Amino acid sequence: SPTPPPVSYGTWNRSWNGQIENRTGLVYLVMAGRARVCTGTVVRDGKEDRSTVFTAASCVYDQHNKAFAERVVFVPGGHRDCYGPHGCWAAAYGVADTDFAIRKKSSHPWNYGFYVFHETGAHRGPPGVSESLEDAVGSVPISFAPIGFSPFEAVYDTPFGYALDSGEIELKYCTDLRQRYQVRNGGFSAAENSPYLAGCKLSGWRLSTGGPWGHLSLIHI
């Protein structure tokens, strides 16, 4: 199979796959009295009484002040407010891993979280849009399978996240060969099974925190 060229920082073209842009959006929240913006993705959880948005735990729980974020709103498609084509949804509550909450250091393996949205009463926006977030924009599958590293398999990861460039909020992405995360002393950290993309510049943009990752595997024999 051909090897895809690395992309350090690019703008996602909706014509490639509009479903990614629709199901990924901005998470507006207040943490420690300050407004923050992250990226989140509507994921498939098999439940009919709620919709779920996956994001980073650091966008859900404040480790320093030991408190959950407040006034959380999800806007699909990266719009600035509730006047986009789908509107917006107010979160009922957030979920973060206990290991992330109790650790200030070495919490990277548990830096994932969820926001839950009720099926009715959470939506604000144009008439005719489903009250259910998942019904309105769709969802993507999520996997908790262990991430592997093999000398016989090259895995290219493609993270996504929103960024503010030249006054415009756009969905950005990068693509690079997956490497094993390393700490500064050269050894493997407790997060040794966490992927690391050396050439990706997406993580430097605050809005992209919590964005989804896609994978392409190339088997080398």
Side-chain angles (χ1 to χ4, degrees), residues 39-143:
T39 296
T41 306
V42 185
V43 294
R44 201 167 301 152
D45 63 4
K47 303 294 183 180
E48 297 183 356
D49 61 343
R50 68 191 183 203
S51 296
T52 303
V53 168
F54 184 86
T55 187
S58 55
C59 299
V60 177
Y61 187 79
D62 183 350
Q63 289 176 306
H64 180 74
N65 292 294
K66 302 299 181 183
F68 282 92
E70 301 175 323
R71 290 182 276 174
V72 180
V73 174
F74 178 73
V75 183
H79 298 279
R80 295 176 181 266
D81 50 40
C82 297
Y83 297 101
H86 294 104
C88 64
W89 280 261
Y93 57 90
V95 179
D97 195 290
T98 302
D99 278 298
F100 178 84
I102 64 176
R103 302 168 184 257
K104 287 187 178 180
K105 296 182 179 181
S106 301
S107 61
H108 179 76
W110 300 278
N111 192 3
Y112 58 89
F114 301 89
Y115 279 111
V116 176
F117 299 79
H118 292 318
E119 290 296 89
T120 59
H123 179 249
R124 296 292 183 273
V129 177
S130 174
E131 284 277 297
S132 164
L133 171 58
E134 187 171 1
D135 288 347
V137 303
S139 60
V140 297
I142 185 171
S143 174

Side-chain angles (χ1 to χ4, degrees), residues 25-29 36-40 55 58-59 206-210:
L26 292 174
V27 181
Y28 293 90
L29 60 104
R36 285 191 57 190
V37 185
C38 295
T39 296
T55 187
S58 55
C59 299
R206 188 166 63 104
L207 302 184
S208 66
T209 302

Side-chain angles (χ1 to χ4, degrees), residues 76-219:
H79 298 279
R80 295 176 181 266
D81 50 40
C82 297
Y83 297 101
H86 294 104
C88 64
W89 280 261
Y93 57 90
V95 179
D97 195 290
T98 302
D99 278 298
F100 178 84
I102 64 176
R103 302 168 184 257
K104 287 187 178 180
K105 296 182 179 181
S106 301
S107 61
H108 179 76
W110 300 278
N111 192 3
Y112 58 89
F114 301 89
Y115 279 111
V116 176
F117 299 79
H118 292 318
E119 290 296 89
T120 59
H123 179 249
R124 296 292 183 273
V129 177
S130 174
E131 284 277 297
S132 164
L133 171 58
E134 187 171 1
D135 288 347
V137 303
S139 60
V140 297
I142 185 171
S143 174
F144 290 96
I147 294 176
F149 298 86
S150 168
F152 304 105
E153 182 180 25
V155 179
Y156 287 81
D157 290 324
T158 301
F160 298 88
Y162 282 94
L164 183 63
D165 281 353
S166 303
E168 297 293 329
I169 297 176
E170 297 178 316
L171 183 62
K172 302 293 185 178
Y173 77 103
C174 62
T175 298
D176 203 357
L177 180 65
R178 177 190 298 171
Q179 301 179 45
R180 195 187 295 268
Y181 179 78
Q182 292 179 292
V183 292
R184 290 183 178 180
N185 64 9
F188 293 131
S189 72
E192 64 179 7
N193 285 326
S194 296
Y196 170 68
L197 307 182
C200 182
K201 297 182 179 179
L202 186 64
S203 60
W205 298 87
R206 188 166 63 104
L207 302 184
S208 66
T209 302
W213 286 46
H215 311 288
L216 172 65
S217 296
L218 301 176
I219 308 299

